[in-house]
Amino acid sequence: MNVPAQGTEIPAKSQDLAAVNQAAMRAMAAGDFGGAEAILMQGLARDRGNFTAWLNLAATRRQKSDVDGAFLALREALAIEPRNFHALLMTATLLDREGRAVPAATAYGAALANAPPDERLDPATLEAVRRGREVRAKYARELGGFIRDQVATAQDHCTAGERRRVERFIDTTLRVRERYQQQPTDYYYPGLPSIEFYERDEFPWLAGLEAATTAIQDDLARVLQQDEAGFSPYIHYEDHLPLDQWRELNNSPRWTAFHFYEQGRRVEERCARAPATIAAVERLPQAHVPLRSPTAMYSCLRPRTRIPPHVGIANFRLVVHLPLVLPDGCSFRVGGETRQWRLGEAWVFDDTIEHEARNDSDETRIILICDVWNPRLSAEECAAIAQVIAATDSFNGTVPSAEG
């Protein structure tokens, strides 16, 4: 039978489990792990719902090399607080020490998902977290290799787009790629898939838009020469409004746009300055919603400027990018995929999935941006969406401001 060391007596009458835990900690500090265990067991006999006592019991048993007993105590602790970081991490480290690679990797994953920021961790805990990341990374590499070997034959029969989706499925299964969903700020139309970058074959008109690149670049050069003042800050909120991530770029010349539409209506003077651009854009299946869309613009991002992660207002429309002036060092991320633009090559993406842009070069980047209906919508649905939004505006008596 374990007898507590002198000075670590069990609070005989008190029901205060805090005092029990303190007494146990004193015993552990004195190296009396058997005494600490006895104190904690007697305290837990009075109150089995004390999480801290179970966690301390697990730590005590770990010091005694009673691994099975430590796991039992941790199971009791996690029954009380299933997402407790310290209990999850202790479970993972015990499994790791036992050489149980797969359960350890899984347990480290649960612990890391609940971990506070590194700067809030003490050195010993931070070391355990770093070990957990190493174990998880090794597990993901090995499991990923095994999965890809097993699925290779099936992938050989997939189209290029299907193979990319299978790869994303593997990465999200391995938890090495975050799962991003649509998060529109204003309008969510149900039943539309969360696709970061859409496959080109869904948009037969993309080639025609790209073929007009040189003519659109000529328009842009003319606009820059004749009406550079027409580029206005893309972000323009009043200072008293909550700006969140936009404070740095609010009313800033670092990100500007030359808009061809305002509240869904053509700005004729600007369209006249860029006839090839507006002709190319208006051949697309533009999203027509009164007072809101279509939209089309030249978007100008100055050197060493980053557009922070954000989401768009509505998932019923998609956004098209066509690069026109493209220095090296420019990138664009949608959800878990980052791409580099290629001059004259367009892409289509869902802007209600978190996205951001970077210009890490010393030159200005300019792209053409416009919106189109989501191709998964029927013509009847598009008409209904426009009517729902128009009716809402009419009932509320509101006139929306231009987006951005």
Side-chain angles (χ1 to χ4, degrees), residues 381-392:
E381 286 178 297
C382 293
I385 288 168
Q387 291 169 3
V388 167
I389 295 174
T392 303

Side-chain angles (χ1 to χ4, degrees), residues 322-366:
L322 176 68
L324 303 173
V325 177
L326 188 63
D328 291 335
C330 296
S331 62
F332 189 69
R333 177 183 69 84
V334 182
E337 183 173 354
T338 299
R339 291 187 177 184
Q340 310 295 318
W341 279 284
R342 294 181 180 178
L343 198 62
E345 290 188 15
W347 61 45
V348 183
F349 70 98
D350 184 340
D351 78 332
T352 67
I353 298 173
E354 181 186 273
H355 58 286
E356 62 179 315
R358 302 183 68 96
N359 179 359
D360 294 324
S361 78
D362 294 320
E363 303 174 51
T364 295
R365 180 229 71 184
I366 305 177

Side-chain angles (χ1 to χ4, degrees), residues 178-323:
E178 189 172 345
R179 302 171 187 175
Y180 289 90
Q181 301 296 323
Q182 296 172 330
Q183 296 178 312
T185 59
D186 290 20
Y187 302 106
Y188 173 78
Y189 192 82
L192 298 177
S194 291
I195 298 174
E196 296 163 354
F197 289 95
Y198 274 68
E199 297 296 332
R200 289 181 58 90
D201 57 14
E202 290 203 52
F203 310 100
W205 42 262
L206 265 180
L209 176 65
E210 292 167 340
T213 297
T214 300
I216 295 172
Q217 289 172 320
D218 291 342
D219 282 351
L220 171 63
R222 184 165 50 253
V223 167
L224 289 171
Q225 182 180 22
Q226 299 177 358
D227 191 17
E228 188 172 3
F231 283 81
S232 58
Y234 189 84
I235 302 297
H236 47 85
Y237 293 112
E238 295 183 31
D239 290 338
H240 72 280
L241 296 175
L243 298 179
D244 298 328
Q245 75 269 40
W246 296 120
R247 187 170 300 281
E248 183 179 351
L249 287 176
N250 193 39
N251 295 311
S252 170
R254 294 167 60 195
W255 183 21
T256 59
F258 187 88
H259 293 272
F260 293 103
Y261 297 86
E262 289 182 356
Q263 296 181 350
R265 293 186 288 262
R266 284 172 52 124
V267 181
E268 295 297 342
E269 181 182 2
R270 292 179 183 170
C271 291
R273 292 184 184 276
T277 302
I278 202 66
V281 167
E282 292 188 344
R283 285 193 290 267
L284 308 184
Q286 294 176 291
H288 287 274
V289 178
L291 301 180
R292 295 177 184 274
S293 62
T295 62
M297 72 196 79
Y298 298 140
S299 174
C300 178
L301 194 63
R302 298 297 180 187
R304 306 295 171 183
T305 301
R306 170 178 174 261
I307 300 172
H310 62 288
V311 294
I313 64 170
N315 72 330
F316 54 74
R317 61 94 185 264
L318 301 175
V319 176
V320 183
H321 281 181
L322 176 68

Side-chain angles (χ1 to χ4, degrees), residues 391-398:
T392 303
D393 288 340
S394 177
F395 185 86
N396 291 334
T398 58

Side-chain angles (χ1 to χ4, degrees), residues 19-69:
V20 169
N21 283 306
Q22 291 168 6
M25 295 299 290
R26 288 194 296 271
M28 291 176 69
D32 181 14
F33 301 112
E37 182 177 23
I39 292 170
L40 291 164
M41 290 299 293
Q42 291 192 39
L44 286 166
R46 298 199 297 269
D47 180 2
R48 293 185 61 82
N50 187 276
F51 170 83
T52 303
W54 284 114
L55 190 62
N56 286 336
L57 181 61
T60 299
R61 289 175 171 173
R62 179 179 59 181
Q63 292 293 335
K64 293 176 60 186
S65 298
D66 179 7
V67 175
D68 290 341

Side-chain angles (χ1 to χ4, degrees), residues 83-147:
R83 293 181 176 83
N84 183 272
F85 163 65
H86 293 287
L88 292 167
L89 185 62
M90 191 183 301
T91 300
T93 57
L94 281 172
L95 290 166
D96 193 8
R97 290 179 187 179
E98 290 290 291
R100 300 167 62 181
V102 172
T106 302
Y108 273 128
L112 295 172
N114 289 277
D118 285 0
E119 58 269 20
R120 289 168 48 190
L121 301 176
D122 62 80
T125 304
L126 182 57
E127 183 179 353
V129 164
R130 287 172 175 162
R131 168 62 183 170
R133 290 172 182 152
E134 292 174 0
V135 171
R136 283 291 300 176
K138 182 175 183 291
Y139 166 78
R141 287 194 302 271
E142 293 178 350
L143 176 57
F146 180 80
I147 289 173

